[in-house]
Amino acid sequence: TGLTPNTTYSVYYRANCGGGDVSPWSVATNFTTQCAPITLNTINNPVVCDSYSLVPITEATPSNNSGLTTAYYTGPNGTGSVITGPLTSTQNIYAYATAGACNAQQLVNVTVYNTPQLTIQNPTICLGDSTVLWTNQGSAIDFIYTLNTTFIGSGVAYHVQPTSTTTYGISAVGLGGCISAEQQATVTVNQPT
């Protein structure tokens, strides 16, 4: 008892006849303890914007196996390529742990959505005219419009009729709820002469 799982030990023995009468130590008998079962903490299937940083693979109950290794792989049972960096595309990966003859794995479905990019137009109008706050649609499914950081509307196009030159904020919303950084669109209003 008290031995570390999945560890090689050398055992020596000798006879003890009492009164200090002992035999020489035997030659070493080598053996390896069996590995302990491995159970992994559940890794939730992440849905992220742009990139996913891998979380550490941990055991739900420490097995104390000597030589326990963990890694993410592209294939099941520790096959395929080892994944080390952030993921920038949707894919299935495998969290895998092994020590001796014991192993455990978990399939992780990683969904990565791209944040839409904006190309803002800055229109010029005459006093009394209206315009549409316009940007490229790209991968956006909706847009958010603000004035002085206050929400004023949403949709693919938003009509405005400012009475003086005004700057609006526009953010794009993509799949998975990925929202771009707000960009500024300035509507220049020319006063009549």
Side-chain angles (χ1 to χ4, degrees):
T1 61
L3 301 180
T4 303
N6 194 47
T7 303
T8 299
Y9 288 92
S10 296
V11 177
Y12 301 85
Y13 55 92
R14 68 180 178 177
N16 184 347
C17 298
D21 187 14
V22 293
S23 71
W25 287 105
S26 68
V27 294
T29 299
N30 298 320
F31 72 96
T32 301
T33 54
Q34 294 181 346
C35 58
I38 302 168
T39 54
L40 299 179
N41 279 315
T42 300
I43 300 170
N44 295 326
N45 294 325
V47 178
V48 297
C49 297
D50 300 320
S51 70
Y52 173 68
S53 295
L54 300 171
V55 298
I57 301 170
T58 57
E59 292 183 278
T61 303
S63 65
N64 297 319
N65 282 313
S66 176
L68 176 71
T69 60
T70 61
Y72 286 96
Y73 288 89
T74 56
N77 301 315
T79 61
S81 302
V82 174
I83 304 169
T84 57
L87 303 178
T88 56
S89 63
T90 296
Q91 57 189 288
N92 294 330
I93 60 174
Y94 295 86
Y96 185 74
T98 185
C102 298
N103 57 62
Q105 77 173 359
Q106 180 187 352
L107 173 63
V108 182
N109 301 306
V110 179
T111 304
V112 178
Y113 292 109
N114 293 320
T115 300
Q117 302 299 312
L118 292 174
T119 302
I120 300 294
Q121 300 294 318
N122 295 299
T124 299
I125 62 173
C126 292
L127 182 63
D129 290 343
S130 66
T131 188
V132 174
L133 294 178
W134 183 88
T135 182
N136 64 317
Q137 179 78 26
S139 62
I141 57 174
D142 199 6
F143 295 92
I144 299 170
Y145 303 93
T146 61
L147 178 60
N148 299 324
T149 68
T150 302
F151 174 80
I152 58 171
S154 64
V156 175
Y158 189 76
H159 293 268
V160 293
Q161 189 175 12
T163 57
S164 63
T165 297
T166 305
T167 299
Y168 299 90
I170 304 175
S171 299
V173 181
L175 294 172
C178 299
I179 301 176
S180 70
E182 184 176 86
Q183 293 193 26
Q184 305 298 312
T186 299
V187 178
T188 301
V189 179
N190 288 332
Q191 300 295 325
T193 54

